C-alpha cells in the first residue's frame, strides 16, 4: 500500500485564501481576461467551469502540486490494481473492476475477481433478457410483468436514480419496476397495492443479506405472495437475490440460479455496478445497462491516466477541499437542472457523507481538519422558488454545483433553452450579485420609490461561489460517466483528509441499539439497564400507544 501524507496547505496558500475570501468575483474577472478559459476543464463532451469559484488558476496548480507530493497518483494506481485500500476491513475496493470489460486477470487473494464479475454480469444480462421477453415465469406459470426492488442505502439509491433518470417517459408495456427501501409498512403496501402476485418478482439487494430493514420487507413480501398464490405454491420462484452472502440467500428460500453474487470488496454505495444492477437491466434493457457501465469505465480510464492538474475528479476534489478547509465553507449544494436527475442530490449525499463523514485518519489519529461538508440540494428550477432565496441573500455563503444538460433528451428546444438560461443566470447572479446603485437605478426607471429600506431589501451581495458542469444529452453513457466522476472525486477528497472513505462504522451503532428497542416495543424483549431515561420514556410511550 502506498505511503501517504494528508494535504497540508502552505503558508502562501493560506494567505491566498484570506485574500480570496474578501475579493469580489467580479474583480477576479477584471484582473484576468482569460479567467473563464483558464478555469474551465473538458473531458469528452463534459465541460466543468470553476471560474465562479473563489479560486485562481495559480491556486489550483499549487494544490495539484501538493496532491502529487502527497502521493495521490500512487493511490489512484493502487485503486485500479485491486489493493486493499479499505484498511479497517482489510478489503480491496473493486467497484471500478465491475465496469471494466478487460479480460486481463485482476487477482485478489489468489482469485481472478474480474473473471467472476464477468460471469455474474453475463447472468444478469441473461436474466434481464428472459424477463424482458416474457419468458421468466412465476409459480403459476404466469410471466413476470413487474419487479419490486427491495434494498436500502446504496443498494436502493443507485439503481433507483438510474432507472428514474433513464426510463422513457412515454414507455408503453414492458416490465414495471418499483423500489421499496423504507421499513415503514406503508411503503411496501403502496408498492404492492395494484400488483398481481403471480406476475411479480422481488429483487432482494443486500450485500450481507442481513440488513434488518431489507429482510423485514422481504419477509413481508413472501407473506404477501403466499397469501395471493395457490396453496403450496413455490414462492421462491418470485425472488432474486443480489448479495455476497449466498448461503443466507439460499436459506431464505431463493433458488441457486436466482442468487447473483457480489464481491465483499464492493461497498453498498457503489453497488449499482454489481449484480444489484439487475433491476437497471430489467427496467432499461441490456443495451442501456451496458452503456451505463461503458460510460463509467471511460471516466475510470481518464481518472487512472490523466495528469493531476487536468484530471477532472482530482480537480473537483481540490476545489472542494479548498472551499471546505481553506475558505471554511461547510455546506455544499447540488442543483441539477434536469428533472431526470432529481434523485442525484440524495445519491451524492450518501456517497459523500457516508464515505467521508469521519473524524479519524486511516491510522486512527484524530483528523486535524474538518472533513466532509454537509451536502444537500434539489432540482434547480424548483429550488429557485425555495432555497435559492437563502443562497442569494442569506447570511451563509454556500458553494453551489450546477449540473446542466446542454441538449434535451426529448421535448422542445425552446423550453430547454429556458431551463439552461435559468441555470446560467442563477450562477451569474450568485457570483456578481446586484448593487445598491443598480437597485436604485432600476426602481427609478420604473418610477417606484427608492427609499433606503426598499433598496437594501433588493441588494444581492454576490461573491457566492459556484461550479457549473455542462453535460451532453442525458443518456446511459453520460450518466455512468457522471456518477463515476463523483465517485472518484469522493475518493480523492478522502485521500486529502487522510481518511478511509470505504468503511461506514457510524451507520452500525444505531442499528445495534435499535434491536433491543424494537424487541421492547413488540413485547419480545426488554430494554437494557443502560438505556438513558429519555429513550426509555419514549419507547414506553410508543409501546403503550401500539397496545391500544
Amino acid at each position: 500500500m502506498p505511503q501517504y501524507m494528508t494535504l497540508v496547505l502552505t503558508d502562501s496558500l493560506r494567505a491566498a485564501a484570506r485574500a480570496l475570501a474578501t475579493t469580489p468575483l467580479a474583480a477576479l474577472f477584471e484582473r484576468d481576461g482569460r479567467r473563464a478559459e483558464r478555469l474551465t476543464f473538458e473531458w469528452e463532451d463534459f465541460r466543468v467551469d470553476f471560474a465562479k469559484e473563489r479560486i485562481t488558476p495559480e491556486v489550483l496548480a499549487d494544490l495539484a502540486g501538493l496532491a502529487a507530493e502527497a502521493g495521490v497518483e500512487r493511490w489512484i494506481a493502487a485503486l485500479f490494481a485491486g489493493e486493499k485500500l479499505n484498511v479497517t476491513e482489510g478489503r480491496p475496493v473493486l467497484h471500478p473492476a465491475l465496469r471494466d470489460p478487460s479480460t486481463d486477470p485482476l487477482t485478489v487473494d489468489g482469485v481472478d475477481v474480474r473473471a467472476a464479475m464477468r460471469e455474474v454480469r453475463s447472468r444478469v444480462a441473461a436474466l434481464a433478457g428472459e424477463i424482458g421477453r416474457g419468458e421468466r415465469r412465476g409459480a403459476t406459470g404466469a410471466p413476470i410483468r413487474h419487479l419490486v426492488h427491495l434494498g436500502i442505502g446504496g443498494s436502493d439509491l443507485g439503481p433507483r436514480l438510474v432507472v428514474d433518470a433513464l426510463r422513457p417517459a412515454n414507455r408503453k408495456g414492458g416490465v414495471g419496476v418499483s423500489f421499496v427501501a423504507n421499513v415503514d409498512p406503508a411503503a411496501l403496501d403502496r408498492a404492492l397495492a395494484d400488483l398481481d402476485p403471480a406476475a411479480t418478482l422481488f429483487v432482494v439487494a443486500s450485500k450481507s443479506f442481513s440488513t434488518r430493514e431489507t429482510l423485514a420487507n422481504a419477509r413481508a413480501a413472501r407473506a404477501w405472495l403466499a397469501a395471493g398464490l395457490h396453496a403450496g405454491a413455490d414462492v421462491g420462484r418470485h425472488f432474486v437475490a443480489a448479495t455476497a452472502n449466498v448461503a443466507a440467500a439460499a436459506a431464505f428460500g431463493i433458488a441457486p440460479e436466482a442468487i447473483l453474487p457480489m464481491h465483499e470488496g464492493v461497498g453498498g454505495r457503489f453497488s449499482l455496478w454489481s449484480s444489484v444492477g439487475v433491476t437497471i437491466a430489467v427496467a432499461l434493457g441490456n443495451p442501456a445497462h451496458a452503456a451505463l457501465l461503458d460510460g463509467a469505465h471511460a471516466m475510470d480510464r481518464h481518472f487512472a491516466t490523466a495528469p493531476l492538474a487536468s484530471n477532472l475528479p482530482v480537480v473537483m476534489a481540490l476545489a472542494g477541499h479548498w472551499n471546505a478547509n481553506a475558505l471554511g465553507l461547510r455546506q455544499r449544494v447540488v442543483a441539477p437542472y434536469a428533472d431526470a436527475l432529481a434523485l442525484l442530490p440524495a445519491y451524492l449525499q450518501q456517497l459523500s457523507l457516508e464515505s467521508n463523514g469521519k473524524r479519524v485518519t486511516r491510522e486512527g489519529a484524530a483528523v486535524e481538519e474538518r472533513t466532509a461538508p454537509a451536502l444537500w440540494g434539489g432540482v434547480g428550477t424548483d429550488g429557485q422558488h425555495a432555497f435559492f432565496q437563502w443562497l442569494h441573500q442569506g447570511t451563509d455563503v454556500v458553494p453551489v454545483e450546477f449540473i446542466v444538460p446542454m441538449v434535451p433528451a426529448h421535448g422542445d428546444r425552446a423550453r430547454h433553452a429556458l431551463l439552461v438560461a435559468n441555470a446560467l443566470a442563477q450562477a451569474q447572479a450568485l457570483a456578481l450579485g446586484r448593487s445598491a446603485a443598480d437597485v436604485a437605478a432600476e426602481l427609478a426607471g420604473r418610477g417606484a420609490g427608492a427609499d433606503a429600506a426598499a433598496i437594501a431589501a433588493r441588494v444581492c451581495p454576490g461573491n457566492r461561489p459556484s461550479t457549473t458542469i455542462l453535460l451532453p444529452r442525458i443518456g446511459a453513457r453520460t450518466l455512468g460517466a457522471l456518477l463515476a466522476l463523483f465517485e472518484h472525486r469522493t475518493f480523492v477528497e478522502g485521500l486529502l483528509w487522510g481518511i478511509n472513505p470505504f468503511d461506514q462504522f457510524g451507520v452500525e451503532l444505531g442499528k445495534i441499539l435499535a434491536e433491543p428497542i424494537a424487541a421492547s416495543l413488540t413485547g419480545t424483549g426488554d430494554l437494557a439497564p443502560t438505556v438513558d431515561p429519555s429513550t426509555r420514556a419514549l419507547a414506553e410511550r410508543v409501546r403503550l400507544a401500539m397496545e391500544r
Side-chain angles (χ1 to χ4, degrees):
M1 184 170 299
Q3 296 296 310
Y4 185 78
M5 299 180 295
T6 57
L7 188 147
V8 178
L9 298 176
T10 62
D11 290 341
S12 62
L13 280 171
R14 294 190 182 280
R18 290 191 294 271
L20 287 167
T22 58
T23 302
L25 284 164
L28 295 178
F29 281 105
E30 290 172 3
R31 292 176 189 174
D32 183 357
R34 295 180 55 240
R35 177 176 172 82
E37 176 189 344
R38 296 174 68 202
L39 285 173
T40 295
F41 296 78
E42 296 191 50
W43 171 81
E44 292 195 357
D45 290 328
F46 282 57
R47 183 182 180 95
V48 184
D49 182 346
F50 298 97
K52 297 184 183 74
E53 293 283 358
R54 294 179 180 176
I55 203 165
T56 65
E58 293 75 21
V59 165
L60 262 183
D62 287 348
L63 290 172
L66 289 178
E69 292 175 10
V72 167
E73 289 167 309
R74 294 192 297 277
W75 280 83
I76 293 173
L79 171 71
F80 289 101
E83 294 189 32
K84 295 184 178 180
L85 302 189
N86 184 352
V87 292
T88 53
E89 298 179 287
R91 294 172 179 169
V93 178
L94 295 177
H95 57 274
L98 291 165
R99 55 234 190 180
D100 187 346
S102 170
T103 57
D104 295 337
L106 178 62
T107 303
V108 176
D109 295 330
V111 176
D112 181 6
V113 296
R114 191 172 281 147
M117 290 172 177
R118 283 198 305 273
E119 192 272 334
V120 172
R121 191 189 302 183
S122 177
R123 289 179 58 194
V124 165
L127 178 60
E130 184 183 4
I131 294 172
R133 294 188 300 270
E135 298 170 0
R136 172 81 181 198
R137 299 183 180 273
T140 67
I144 296 299
R145 302 310 303 155
H146 200 95
L147 186 150
V148 180
H149 184 101
L150 305 178
I152 199 165
S155 297
D156 168 80
L157 279 169
R160 189 193 290 256
L161 162 64
V162 173
V163 171
D164 187 64
L166 300 178
R167 194 134 196 216
N170 58 354
R171 178 172 177 171
K172 296 181 180 179
V175 179
V177 174
S178 303
F179 290 85
V180 177
N182 201 328
V183 75
D184 182 344
L188 185 61
D189 290 347
R190 289 171 180 170
L192 301 182
D194 298 320
L195 299 186
D196 175 8
T200 301
L201 181 73
F202 294 90
V203 172
V204 184
S206 171
K207 186 168 85 169
S208 65
F209 214 85
S210 63
T211 308
R212 189 178 183 92
E213 301 93 333
T214 301
L215 286 190
N217 281 330
R219 286 190 287 267
R222 188 168 57 187
W224 177 77
L225 289 166
L229 300 173
H230 60 76
D234 180 10
V235 299
R237 290 186 58 81
H238 294 260
F239 282 94
V240 168
T243 184
N245 192 343
V246 173
F252 186 84
I254 300 177
E257 64 273 14
I259 301 174
L260 303 171
M262 58 189 296
H263 196 280
E264 287 284 359
V266 178
R269 52 197 173 279
F270 308 102
S271 62
L272 76 92
W273 314 106
S274 73
S275 57
V276 169
V278 65
T279 302
I280 298 171
V282 170
L284 305 178
N286 283 322
H289 186 220
L292 180 83
L293 297 171
D294 180 63
H297 178 64
M299 182 57 73
D300 292 342
R301 291 296 86 211
H302 168 71
F303 181 54
T305 60
L308 295 186
S310 58
N311 190 309
L312 208 50
V314 173
V315 174
M316 289 185 69
L318 293 172
H321 188 276
W322 177 256
N323 280 338
N325 294 107
L327 300 178
L329 304 177
R330 298 305 309 161
Q331 298 185 64
R332 173 181 154 204
V333 165
V334 176
Y337 273 72
D339 201 63
L341 299 179
L343 297 179
L344 183 64
Y347 173 84
L348 295 179
Q349 187 177 66
Q350 191 210 16
L351 174 65
S352 175
L353 302 186
E354 193 166 90
S355 295
N356 291 332
K358 314 284 173 62
R359 56 183 294 276
V360 298
T361 67
R362 287 180 299 275
E363 293 76 28
V367 176
E368 294 184 3
E369 295 181 310
R370 298 169 74 183
T371 56
L375 188 156
W376 56 282
V379 174
T381 45
D382 297 338
Q384 289 176 197
H385 297 272
F387 57 85
F388 271 56
Q389 165 63 39
W390 178 79
L391 292 173
H392 284 291
Q393 291 187 311
T395 55
D396 291 286
V397 175
V398 179
V400 181
E401 294 170 17
F402 293 91
I403 303 175
V404 187
M406 293 181 281
V407 180
H410 48 76
D412 67 78
R413 289 179 176 267
R415 281 188 292 163
H416 186 75
L418 180 59
L419 175 77
V420 173
N422 270 277
L424 301 184
Q426 289 294 326
Q428 180 183 5
L430 285 168
L432 304 182
R434 180 168 57 177
S435 69
D438 290 337
V439 173
E442 178 186 331
L443 291 175
R446 298 197 328 237
D451 61 90
I455 292 173
R458 289 166 172 78
V459 169
C460 292
N463 208 30
R464 309 288 168 111
S466 69
T467 293
T468 299
I469 303 173
L470 294 182
L471 307 176
R473 176 187 286 107
I474 293 177
R477 191 178 189 278
T478 297
L479 183 59
L482 180 68
L483 299 183
L485 168 63
F486 278 105
E487 286 178 352
H488 296 319
R489 169 202 178 147
T490 302
F491 169 52
V492 175
E493 286 175 334
L495 294 179
L496 300 179
W497 286 308
I499 62 181
N500 175 15
F502 299 116
D503 62 19
Q504 57 278 337
F505 294 113
V507 176
E508 298 178 5
L509 178 58
K511 292 183 177 182
I512 294 170
L513 296 176
E515 293 189 15
I517 295 174
S520 74
L521 296 178
T522 57
T524 58
D526 297 317
L527 291 173
T530 55
V531 169
D532 66 272
S534 171
T535 302
R536 184 176 296 278
L538 292 169
E540 179 62 14
R541 181 67 181 84
V542 173
R543 185 187 65 79
L544 292 173
M546 291 175 64
E547 289 179 353
R548 290 177 187 160

